[in-house]
Amino acid sequence: MINSSKFSYFTLSAYFDTGVFQYLYFMIIMSLYVFIVCANVSLIVIICMNRSLHEPMYLFLSSLFVNELYGSTGLFPFLLLQILSDIHTVSTHFCFLQIFCLYTYVNVQFYSLAVMSYDRYLAICCPLQYNKCMTPNKITVLIVLTWLFPVLAIVVMISLNTSLQLCGNIIDRLYCENYSLVKLACYDTTVNNIYGLIYTFTVLTGLMLLILYTYIKILVVCFSGSKQTRQKAVSTCTPHLASLFSFSFGCFIVVLQSRFNMSGAPIMLRIFLSLYFITCQPLFNPVLYGLNLTKIRIICKSFFFGKM
């Protein structure tokens, strides 16, 4: 007979005794989080306060930066508390809340990158119809849907998970992760698995195909156009593509870690890879877009260093 029960907390077993390096790790994580907050908030403020940046591409960027603040806040303060704690436990309710935050962050990120690729497709491949297609109302609708669809999808996933009867409360992760929690279930989790597979292969794969299609069309236009057109397209599309590939790589690694036994890999490598998707995007995107997009770069120089 299966011994099942409702647990009030989970134990995170991926943490280990860091000894004298405890406060060093705390300062590193704290520094990363402070930089993420300052960089993303600065760019959000710059975009909101400068009317010259009230264009679709920059408004979508602003939504992306808000999501990066949201995702990093769902993890970094938690990591800081766990580093200083001797007992690495988390309440059941907070665990589900963290899963909700991290998974909505991932989904909003993919939706945002898809919307931004669509925006670049219209601007470069259909410039005469761009202003007609990208009206203020349509921009608002796209941003709202970018957040609404992921929230609804993850609410359904969390609802399926909360009904599970668990036979254990030990999660071999630094934070709460959906598949690690589902694996603790005492009985068949076919419904959860089917929902996850359908959503992944219909929605997320569909978004990836849309992004790839739009950039292939952009590349075709670029190579058939003038040198100036190619330079403008490259300068605006390079940050998007770099962000997409980096984020996709991070998510792919997390999926691999959750599905396969990675105990043979060095523990510090496993920790780095598990945090890559939530650390590198909020860190690198503000720098990437700030340096590559001319308007933002010029206004940032004026904002931080005065009139040039």
Side-chain angles (χ1 to χ4, degrees), residues 36-187:
I36 286 170
V37 171
C38 292
N40 285 277
V41 168
S42 296
L43 287 176
I44 293 169
V45 170
I46 285 170
I47 291 172
C48 291
M49 294 186 65
N50 287 272
R51 294 188 65 84
S52 62
L53 296 180
H54 290 182
E55 299 175 10
M57 180 174 70
Y58 300 109
L59 295 176
F60 295 140
L61 263 181
S62 183
S63 176
L64 186 77
F65 295 144
V66 169
N67 183 50
E68 289 170 352
L69 281 174
Y70 165 73
S72 56
T73 301
L75 181 62
F76 277 91
F78 174 79
L79 286 178
L80 293 171
L81 289 174
Q82 291 296 323
I83 288 172
L84 295 181
S85 176
D86 294 325
I87 303 173
H88 306 293
T89 59
V90 56
S91 70
T92 302
H93 293 97
F94 186 85
C95 190
F96 283 117
L97 176 62
Q98 187 173 64
I99 291 173
F100 174 81
C101 289
L102 295 181
Y103 278 71
T104 49
Y105 158 75
V106 169
N107 281 264
V108 170
Q109 199 80 354
F110 274 118
Y111 274 87
S112 297
L113 292 170
V115 168
M116 289 165 68
S117 70
Y118 172 67
D119 172 70
R120 290 300 84 205
Y121 166 76
L122 289 178
I124 295 170
C125 300
C126 311
L128 298 180
Q129 288 81 36
Y130 182 73
N131 290 330
K132 183 180 178 181
C133 293
M134 278 297 175
T135 61
N137 286 338
K138 188 169 184 178
I139 294 167
T140 303
V141 168
L142 286 172
I143 292 175
V144 169
L145 292 179
T146 295
W147 287 83
L148 182 61
F149 284 157
V151 166
L152 294 177
I154 303 307
V155 164
V156 173
M157 184 189 77
I158 296 293
S159 300
L160 292 173
N161 289 351
T162 53
S163 63
L164 292 175
Q165 197 75 15
L166 305 179
C167 286
N169 68 334
I170 298 177
I171 299 176
D172 187 25
R173 290 288 180 272
L174 294 174
Y175 50 85
C176 291
E177 190 261 336
N178 181 64
Y179 190 69
S180 297
L181 190 146
V182 171
K183 287 193 294 186
L184 297 175
C186 302
Y187 52 84

Side-chain angles (χ1 to χ4, degrees), residues 234-282:
V234 168
S235 67
T236 56
C237 293
T238 298
H240 301 324
L241 287 171
S243 179
L244 171 66
F245 290 133
S246 173
F247 188 66
S248 299
F249 169 76
C251 292
F252 179 70
I253 291 299
V254 170
V255 171
L256 283 182
Q257 283 188 312
S258 64
R259 296 304 194 273
F260 300 100
N261 183 11
M262 303 283 287
S263 58
I267 188 168
M268 294 305 295
L269 177 63
R270 281 186 282 148
I271 289 174
F272 172 78
L273 292 176
S274 69
L275 296 176
Y276 180 88
F277 81 104
I278 195 71
T279 304
C280 290
Q281 289 298 108

